[in-house]
Amino acid sequence: MLLAVMTLPLWAQSTDSYSLEEVLDKALERNLSLKISQQNQTLFAEQVREVKNNFLPNINLNAQHQYYFDIPTQVAPAAALGLGGEGGPEYIPLSFGLPHQTNISAQLQQVIYNPQLPVGIKAAQTGQDIAELQLRQSKEEVVYGVSSTYYQAQSVAQQINLLNQNINSIERLVKITDLLRQNDLAKSTDVERLQLNQANLSNQMANLKVTYQQLINGLKLMTNTPMSEEFAIDTEIHVQEEETLVLVDSVTRTDVALAEKQLEVQRLEEKQILAGYLPSVYATGVYGQTGFGEFDKDYYEMFPVSYVGLQLSVPIFDGLSKRSQRMQKQIQQSQTRDQIALLEQQVENEIANAVASLETQQQAVSIQKRALALAEKVYDNMQLQYKEGVSGVSDVIDSENELRQAQTDYLTAWVKLKLAELEIKQATGNLIE
């Protein structure tokens, strides 16, 4: 493919200037938004580990010491103790135990069967996939933002270069016209009109330099570069002489993939709710010591206690809460399916618009290039005719304005072409190759 390069004197060009590829690499490595997305991946990995850890046993150590001011009392039938009789009490209060009681135990619980846990692990792992897609989406946003800002900065730098040439040309005309005025071959108003035009160009130059610095600051922000650090870009621009053939072979949109993963998570969450209707089985075990004593009588003794067992939990009725939860998930899935369908339609529309825009901007660049060449020719001729006394100052100023407008239109068309190329990649999901 043939390329045309604008080889103008480069304002703000440095031997250490960054190419677009270098700025993109810098942004993908150092951008703070990407670092946050990368941390989300670590966060989701820990969530998966948390769910898996539910299969590990839970061990708890419990300790308790109690001092009873009053020993707990129980009531027993007097007849059962052989103390009942005519006229005697029917029940007799009895106090068992000692004032000091200590309980120390280690309790273990192990999941044997819980149908919700395997589904929860799958949902957490799908969350990891979502984190990866979110990171990719963040990278796409960074690539688009950096590329569009870089192209605009190149365009503004070229406008500054061209405007600087125009200012130098006007300065020469001012000197020539002033000499002609001194020889009574030109009017004072001719010099003043040229000087006014020169002042307007200088004001435009100052505004363009501010715009350029703002764009450079934007690149610094996206690459996490300190504002005080020097940052120069390659300001040469390359224009394709031949139109690019637009082929849309594959579309891999991250937003659609994200919506599909969200639908998968919602399905798993519904399965997890359904699994809540099934019984759960746990193994339990306890080993400990129970102590009784009465310090006043210098007595205290510990006795072992231990057991193992199975715990079965069978849901019977939960007040229809799971039913409502399941209905909510089904509604969410329906919404997500509609969202995916809408996204797919939007993708088709964006691709069609991007293709049409690219074709239009390719033609616009070609037209504006020819217009710029014609404006340069007219301007050169007007300057020559002015020096020969054939044309007046008004003709020179008009041709200079037309040239400046042609330069601006050409660079604007070039920026729109580069943005159209970006939009094609964005619409097809190919910003990150």
Side-chain angles (χ1 to χ4, degrees):
M1 184 175 294
L2 298 176
L3 295 178
V5 183
M6 290 191 68
T7 55
L8 300 172
L10 299 180
W11 176 81
Q13 184 67 57
S14 168
T15 55
D16 297 327
S17 60
Y18 293 110
S19 66
L20 175 58
E21 290 73 20
E22 290 171 334
V23 177
L24 286 173
D25 290 341
K26 193 179 181 73
L28 292 174
E29 179 184 355
R30 300 172 57 178
N31 184 272
L32 291 178
S33 296
L34 294 184
K35 287 186 177 181
I36 294 173
S37 296
Q38 289 167 350
Q39 290 172 350
N40 283 338
Q41 285 188 302
T42 306
L43 178 64
F44 275 101
E46 287 300 323
Q47 290 177 353
V48 172
R49 192 174 290 110
E50 177 188 356
V51 177
K52 288 182 176 179
N53 289 342
N54 288 325
F55 282 106
L56 298 176
N58 290 328
I59 302 175
N60 296 304
L61 179 65
N62 301 308
Q64 183 181 32
H65 179 82
Q66 294 173 313
Y67 172 72
Y68 290 95
F69 292 100
D70 297 306
I71 304 298
T73 301
Q74 295 183 1
V75 177
L81 299 176
L83 301 176
E86 241 182 82
E90 186 177 356
Y91 299 97
I92 297 177
L94 300 172
S95 296
F96 295 97
L98 296 174
H100 291 275
Q101 294 186 15
T102 301
N103 293 292
I104 301 175
S105 65
Q107 183 177 9
L108 179 144
Q109 186 179 60
Q110 172 65 55
V111 175
I112 295 178
Y113 177 71
N114 185 335
Q116 289 183 302
L117 289 182
V119 182
I121 291 175
K122 290 181 180 178
Q125 290 172 336
T126 305
Q128 274 188 298
D129 297 336
I130 289 176
E132 291 176 3
L133 288 171
Q134 288 174 337
L135 176 59
R136 179 180 175 84
Q137 192 173 51
S138 296
K139 287 182 177 179
E140 290 173 344
E141 292 172 355
V142 168
V143 168
Y144 186 90
V146 168
S147 299
S148 60
T149 304
Y150 191 95
Y151 291 140
Q152 291 178 64
Q154 282 186 311
S155 173
V156 172
Q158 287 297 332
Q159 289 183 56
I160 291 173
N161 294 332
L162 292 168
L163 194 58
N164 190 55
Q165 293 181 19
N166 295 343
I167 289 174
N168 292 335
S169 178
I170 288 293
E171 286 178 352
R172 289 193 296 269
L173 282 176
V174 168
K175 292 178 181 178
I176 293 172
T177 306
D178 191 47
L179 288 174
L180 293 173
R181 179 193 61 78
Q182 293 174 13
N183 294 310
D184 296 327
L185 296 176
K187 300 177 182 179
S188 298
T189 54
D190 293 338
V191 177
E192 293 169 353
R193 290 183 65 186
L194 289 172
Q195 289 174 337
L196 177 61
N197 198 43
Q198 183 182 11
N200 291 335
L201 292 179
S202 298
N203 185 54
Q204 291 180 28
M205 173 71 80
N207 291 333
L208 284 174
K209 286 183 177 180
V210 170
T211 301
Y212 179 82
Q213 191 56 53
Q214 289 173 342
L215 292 168
I216 292 298
N217 289 344
L219 291 175
K220 286 182 180 181
L221 179 63
M222 287 183 278
T223 56
N224 193 22
T225 302
M227 291 295 164
S228 58
E229 190 173 310
E230 290 294 327
F231 195 101
I233 66 170
D234 180 7
T235 56
E236 289 188 4
I237 65 175
H238 303 263
V239 182
Q240 298 175 357
E241 293 285 358
E242 296 179 357
E243 293 186 359
T244 303
L245 181 62
V246 180
L247 295 175
V248 182
D249 295 327
S250 62
V251 179
T252 54
R253 286 287 292 260
T254 306
D255 49 357
V256 175
L258 267 173
E260 291 172 345
K261 282 295 178 182
Q262 288 168 353
L263 179 61
E264 184 178 342
V265 168
Q266 290 165 356
R267 288 170 178 164
L268 290 170
E269 288 173 344
E270 183 185 4
K271 287 183 179 180
Q272 196 169 24
I273 292 170
L274 291 173
Y277 288 108
L278 300 176
S280 301
V281 181
Y282 299 86
T284 61
V286 171
Y287 176 80
Q289 294 278 332
T290 300
F292 301 93
E294 191 170 2
F295 293 159
D296 294 342
K297 297 181 179 180
D298 196 22
Y299 173 79
Y300 199 89
E301 191 169 354
M302 300 290 291
F303 302 93
V305 57
S306 61
Y307 70 85
V308 294
L310 291 175
Q311 178 183 337
L312 175 67
S313 177
V314 182
I316 302 298
F317 182 71
D318 63 354
L320 301 178
S321 64
K322 290 186 181 66
R323 178 184 176 277
S324 297
Q325 292 171 3
R326 186 187 178 193
M327 291 298 297
Q328 292 174 39
K329 291 301 173 185
Q330 289 177 343
I331 293 171
Q332 290 175 359
Q333 290 175 54
S334 177
Q335 291 174 326
T336 305
R337 282 191 291 268
D338 290 340
Q339 182 186 7
I340 292 172
L342 177 60
L343 282 172
E344 289 173 344
Q345 292 178 0
Q346 290 175 341
V347 168
E348 291 180 3
N349 182 61
E350 288 175 13
I351 291 175
N353 291 339
V355 170
S357 177
L358 180 60
E359 293 173 349
T360 300
Q361 296 310 323
Q362 286 173 337
Q363 295 174 4
V365 167
S366 178
I367 293 170
Q368 293 301 330
K369 185 179 179 181
R370 292 195 296 269
L372 176 58
L374 183 59
E376 289 173 345
K377 182 179 179 180
V378 170
Y379 181 67
D380 292 340
N381 290 335
M382 282 298 170
Q383 282 195 321
L384 180 60
Q385 292 176 15
Y386 178 73
K387 293 174 183 177
E388 294 175 350
V390 177
S391 60
V393 172
S394 297
D395 296 326
V396 174
I397 293 175
D398 289 343
S399 63
E400 190 274 331
N401 290 335
E402 291 169 357
L403 174 61
R404 190 167 66 253
Q405 185 62 48
Q407 292 167 345
T408 301
D409 291 344
Y410 175 74
L411 291 170
T412 300
W414 177 82
V415 170
K416 288 183 178 180
L417 174 61
K418 302 308 291 185
L419 293 179
E421 292 173 354
L422 278 177
E423 288 167 2
I424 282 284
K425 293 181 180 180
Q426 185 182 50
T428 57
N430 293 311
L431 276 173
I432 302 176
E433 298 178 356

